[in-house]
Amino acid sequence: MADEEEGNHVLDLCGGQLPDLAKVTIGDDVQEIDLTENRLKEVDGRILNLRGLKKISFRKNLLTDVEALDEMSSAGGLLELVLYDNHIKKLPPLGNFKMISKFDSSYNKVRSMEPVRALSSSVEELYLASNKIGEIEPMAHLTNLKV
């Protein structure tokens, strides 16, 4: 279901239990996508090509490999990336996300937070709870984090 909220084009597929997005039309003007509570195992290539995307949530899916997110056309302007509650073992490179303010990879199987070191200082919210992280990496550059 596509909605227009305050001039933003939103694609809300929350709770659809979709195994993939093959039958979903994703317009080029989409700025926000909510894929919460589906059964997605991979990131749809059309999402990677969206240039104006500002927010995306993959919360509660079955993703294991999200390395492709590093190649998102919208990475430089993305504000929120939510990967909460998947099966991710390795975070994607995060250096291209220059404007990101919220990054959530809680409840996964991540062992290293090394990619977090490349996050922009624009990050205000960072969530990594309930992973398998063995060592906390230095994050002194994340000066805008809110406690």
Side-chain angles (χ1 to χ4, degrees):
M1 176 167 101
D3 294 320
E4 190 167 328
E5 271 178 23
E6 299 174 19
N8 292 330
H9 298 276
V10 178
L11 180 60
D12 185 351
L13 299 171
C14 184
Q17 297 299 312
L18 301 170
D20 59 50
L21 300 177
K23 295 180 180 178
V24 175
T25 301
I26 302 175
D28 292 338
D29 59 348
V30 173
Q31 294 178 345
E32 184 175 340
I33 301 176
D34 189 347
L35 297 168
T36 300
E37 292 184 356
N38 281 286
R39 306 204 44 80
L40 304 176
K41 293 182 179 177
E42 59 186 36
V43 178
D44 188 293
R46 295 172 296 166
I47 291 172
L48 301 175
N49 294 324
L50 293 173
R51 297 196 186 283
L53 193 62
K54 299 292 181 195
K55 298 178 181 181
I56 188 158
S57 175
F58 289 102
R59 185 179 176 120
K60 293 189 174 183
N61 276 280
L62 303 172
L63 298 175
T64 56
D65 182 359
V66 291
E67 294 276 330
L69 292 175
D70 181 46
E71 299 171 16
M72 288 180 75
S73 296
S74 61
L78 198 71
L79 301 175
E80 292 185 13
L81 176 57
V82 177
L83 301 171
Y84 181 104
D85 198 3
N86 279 277
H87 301 285
I88 300 165
K89 292 182 180 176
K90 183 178 178 187
L91 294 176
L94 298 170
N96 290 334
F97 297 90
K98 304 294 183 198
M99 295 179 61
I100 199 157
S101 62
K102 178 181 179 179
F103 178 71
D104 187 347
S105 185
S106 297
Y107 294 90
N108 279 288
K109 299 176 181 183
V110 175
R111 294 190 178 277
S112 171
M113 56 185 286
E114 172 72 28
V116 173
R117 294 175 70 181
L119 273 175
S120 167
S121 63
S122 64
V123 173
E124 295 177 358
E125 298 177 61
L126 175 63
Y127 304 98
L128 298 166
S130 289
N131 276 288
K132 298 180 184 261
I133 297 170
E135 182 179 338
I136 303 296
E137 302 284 337
M139 295 185 292
H141 72 288
L142 301 178
T143 55
N144 289 319
L145 283 178
K146 294 180 180 177
V147 180

